[in-house]
Amino acid sequence: MRNPPRSPGVFGDAHARTGGGDGPAAPHHSVLAGPAVETAPEPVVAVDRRGRVSLVNAAARALLPGLAPGIPLDTGVAPGWLVAAVHGGHGGPDTGSAGSAEADETEETAKAAGATAHGSLQGRAFTAYAAPLPDGHTAWWLSDITGREDAERSLRSERESTAFLARASARLQSSLNPRRCVVTTARLAAGHLADAAVVVRLSRDRRPEVTRAVFDGRLEEETLSASPEEMPGLAEALEGFPPVSFRSVDPGLIPAWLLPEGFGRPASPVVVPLPGSGEIAGAMVLLRRAGSEDAGPEDDTVTRIFAARAGAAISAAALYAEQVATVAVLQRELLPPALPHPEGVELAGAYRPAQSAQSVGGDFYDVHPADGPGRETDVVLGDVAGKGPEAAVLTGKIRNTLAALRLVETDHVRLLDLLNRALLSGPQNRFVTLVLASFGAPDPGTGRVGLRLTSAGHPPPLLLRRDGSVEAARTSGTLIGVLPEATATTCSTTLLPGDTCLLYSDGVTEARGGPYGEMFGEERLADALGSCAGLHAQAVVERVGMLTSEWLAGREHDDIALVAVTAAHRTPLSAVGGTVRAGDAR
């Protein structure tokens, strides 16, 4: 509020009425009195240089009964803050000499100009503004600022609440770990909404998982065997239907297991539900120490908003954790099996999942050992179209179907046709590419391994000979799960000791890298495989995988699957003191 303007019409000309100087003063109420001042809506008190009251208008008399012209202001009728302001502006009672009265008046007038004081009267807040008058008199206008202070206090509280909610949202959304979200909720609530906060959730076996946080930073977490019904309102809040609001609880009814250690008996605890996405995320109990100020309507509003955001964050984190667990189960089913060790044949495999957001891929391989004399070991490597759970489900179906079909059908083409019919009879609209490899026991004399290879829409396997030459197996076929009838051609070949057959997915040939983001391609793969001449099966897949990774240089890629079938290396008899006939090494 600006200082009230001086107006001779309001205060009159005090100097003219008193004759000036320090002579006998006229009655104080007649010196400064005026109808405008007397009826002013704001209290006005005027004092002289000695701190005596010169004027009190009607509003001031109503506010300060007993205050009258002619009495000192510091008689106990006026509040101390106003007395201190008056004497601070005038330096207390006048003790100067008569010769310096004019200089003192000029100095005191300068001091009083624009002076203000703040304090309370009758439970309301006031600001007093000083206005200098002639002859060293000063008028103090008292302005009621209670409403303005309440508004400013409310604005500050709203700003603090908005800042808290923004900070809480940022912290709650920074993690998709359910436990971390619960801990963050408890800590935030204990630091802003109460002296302590307890978040309660139910475990799978319906036991309360309790997280307690205190404003001083202490944190306690445990899963109890207690019943939520022991705390009034808690069981209802955890059920979430019908929706429940806040519930104040008698402090004497709070079970000991709910309170933080050493917290003591709280005052007016409140149970707050934490609504989630479609279901309740938990409940929060706010605890205040005895003697703490009760929450107001504004605090309740902030608590409701915070509870909704915390519940949504906890619910989202729990849903994400459940999805991660589901994906982990699917991944375990999709992970390549432990490879057997057939006599005279080396088997090695490598699987590298895609580096994309969807961690469940469609590439897989299986090895089914020979289940009796004269039977063959079957190797299958496939690539289901698409990613995600649907691809995973189809992958599992294909693997199980193949495992069953191979028991009754050994011919690759007929087996693939049966698989094709099985897929077409299901609801899936996805397809799969496959390559089958079957081999029996190696020839005991030469170590040679007979191999049958059949491709169904899949890149044909590569054959690495001991001399480093690489050739693609002559097999091809249609996709499985698209046409009414699957067709394919089977390639029969022989692996000599040290020869390798490599089955691979298109994640290898379509891996983009190098200086220009090119595909790795079949030619580079053949060169990479050619550099593996003479290596064991495990070394082959490791080297091809390493060269592919170097080509990618950290870029995103599709699933990569490799299986190497190597005819076991045979040690020449000359190395152990014997002789070798021509052709025995092969």
Side-chain angles (χ1 to χ4, degrees):
M1 179 177 179
R2 295 178 298 177
N3 293 333
R6 279 187 62 189
S7 173
V10 175
F11 294 103
D13 192 340
H15 183 77
R17 297 188 183 187
T18 60
D22 293 324
H28 297 282
H29 65 282
S30 62
V31 172
L32 302 175
V37 175
E38 177 65 18
T39 59
E42 293 187 333
V44 179
V45 178
V47 296
D48 61 15
R49 279 182 294 173
R50 293 180 174 82
R52 293 176 303 179
V53 177
S54 303
L55 177 142
V56 183
N57 73 347
R61 290 194 297 273
L63 184 65
L64 299 168
L67 193 63
I71 67 173
L73 190 66
D74 56 1
T75 57
V77 179
W81 61 269
L82 182 58
V83 174
V86 170
H87 289 313
H90 291 75
D94 184 15
T95 56
S97 62
S100 62
E102 185 175 350
D104 288 344
E105 180 179 346
T106 302
E107 181 182 354
E108 300 303 338
T109 298
K111 288 181 179 180
T116 59
H118 306 278
S120 61
L121 278 170
Q122 298 182 6
R124 301 188 67 81
F126 284 86
T127 295
Y129 301 91
L133 299 172
D135 296 331
H137 290 263
T138 303
W140 290 85
W141 296 69
L142 277 65
S143 178
D144 189 338
I145 62 169
T146 305
R148 186 180 71 188
E149 285 196 345
D150 289 345
E152 291 177 349
R153 190 180 304 110
S154 177
L155 181 60
R156 285 195 301 271
S157 176
E158 184 176 349
R159 287 175 176 172
E160 291 174 359
S161 298
T162 301
F164 163 71
L165 291 173
R167 185 173 68 254
S169 295
R171 290 185 57 184
L172 288 168
Q173 294 173 5
S174 65
S175 173
L176 284 174
N177 181 289
R179 175 191 169 274
R180 197 169 301 161
C181 285
V182 169
V183 170
T184 300
T185 297
R187 288 191 184 279
L188 287 170
H192 188 89
L193 302 177
D195 296 318
V198 183
V199 177
V200 182
R201 302 184 71 220
L202 293 180
S203 64
R204 292 186 180 275
D205 57 357
R206 306 294 294 176
R207 293 194 301 162
E209 297 176 342
V210 180
T211 301
R212 313 181 192 93
V214 187
F215 71 95
D216 59 10
R218 284 184 293 141
L219 183 73
E220 302 169 1
E221 298 177 89
E222 58 181 328
T223 300
L224 304 172
S225 298
S227 172
E229 283 78 6
E230 297 178 22
M231 173 68 180
L234 182 58
E236 294 85 348
L238 289 172
E239 289 299 329
F241 186 84
V244 294
S245 185
F246 295 179
R247 178 170 177 179
S248 297
V249 181
D250 183 351
L253 300 178
I254 299 180
W257 57 263
L258 195 69
L259 299 174
E261 184 178 356
F263 187 79
R265 188 60 58 183
S268 302
V270 178
V271 179
V272 183
L274 299 175
S277 301
E279 61 181 15
I280 201 72
M284 177 174 62
V285 182
L286 299 180
L287 306 173
R288 291 182 174 84
R289 294 188 183 277
S292 299
E293 183 179 354
D294 291 337
E298 300 84 0
D299 297 325
D300 287 347
T301 301
V302 173
T303 300
R304 292 179 190 277
I305 297 174
F306 172 76
R309 296 183 182 181
I314 295 172
S315 179
L319 179 61
Y320 177 78
E322 183 177 348
Q323 291 177 340
V324 169
T326 302
V327 169
V329 172
L330 292 174
Q331 281 183 319
R332 283 198 297 270
E333 292 299 319
L334 295 176
L335 289 177
L339 299 182
H341 301 282
E343 184 178 356
V345 178
E346 299 175 7
L347 289 175
Y351 178 75
R352 182 176 177 182
Q355 197 174 345
S356 61
Q358 293 178 304
S359 54
V360 179
D363 287 13
F364 67 94
Y365 67 79
D366 269 330
V367 177
H368 304 284
D371 51 2
R375 302 282 294 183
E376 293 180 311
T377 296
D378 296 325
V379 181
V380 57
L381 186 147
D383 182 3
V384 173
K387 302 289 181 188
E390 291 185 2
V393 170
L394 184 57
T395 299
K397 179 177 180 179
I398 292 170
R399 294 175 70 174
N400 293 333
T401 303
L402 283 173
L405 289 176
R406 65 174 292 273
L407 298 178
V408 296
E409 182 58 71
T410 59
D411 182 81
H412 285 184
V413 176
R414 288 197 296 268
L415 186 148
L416 290 173
D417 187 54
L418 291 174
L419 176 64
N420 184 68
R421 295 181 189 180
L423 294 187
L424 291 176
S425 65
Q428 295 92 350
N429 57 358
R430 296 173 180 265
F431 60 87
V432 61
T433 66
L434 288 173
V435 60
L436 299 177
S438 298
F439 59 87
D443 182 270
T446 63
R448 300 184 180 192
V449 177
L451 186 65
R452 290 186 298 131
L453 300 170
T454 306
S455 172
H458 200 87
L462 297 179
L463 300 171
L464 170 65
R465 302 305 179 181
R466 289 182 302 176
D467 59 3
S469 61
V470 176
E471 60 182 290
R474 297 181 179 180
T475 177
S476 62
T478 58
L479 302 173
I480 303 299
V482 177
L483 300 176
E485 183 178 354
T487 60
T489 58
T490 300
C491 168
S492 297
T493 186
T494 300
L495 297 180
L496 302 181
D499 289 352
T500 296
C501 174
L502 181 68
L503 286 64
Y504 62 94
S505 67
D506 58 8
V508 178
T509 53
E510 295 180 3
R512 291 189 174 273
Y516 305 108
E518 303 171 84
M519 288 187 180
F520 193 65
E522 296 178 358
E523 186 176 345
R524 289 190 180 88
L525 175 58
D527 291 341
L529 184 60
S531 66
C532 300
L535 298 181
H536 292 272
Q538 187 63 44
V540 171
V541 297
E542 288 180 357
R543 178 165 177 78
V544 172
M546 179 191 69
L547 294 175
T548 306
S549 297
E550 290 179 352
W551 179 257
L552 285 166
R555 294 180 177 90
E556 289 192 0
H557 59 84
D558 199 356
D559 297 337
I560 295 175
L562 296 167
V563 176
V565 181
T566 302
H569 293 69
R570 295 171 66 88
T571 303
L573 296 179
S574 57
V576 291
T579 60
V580 182
R581 294 192 303 270
D584 283 352
R586 291 184 58 86

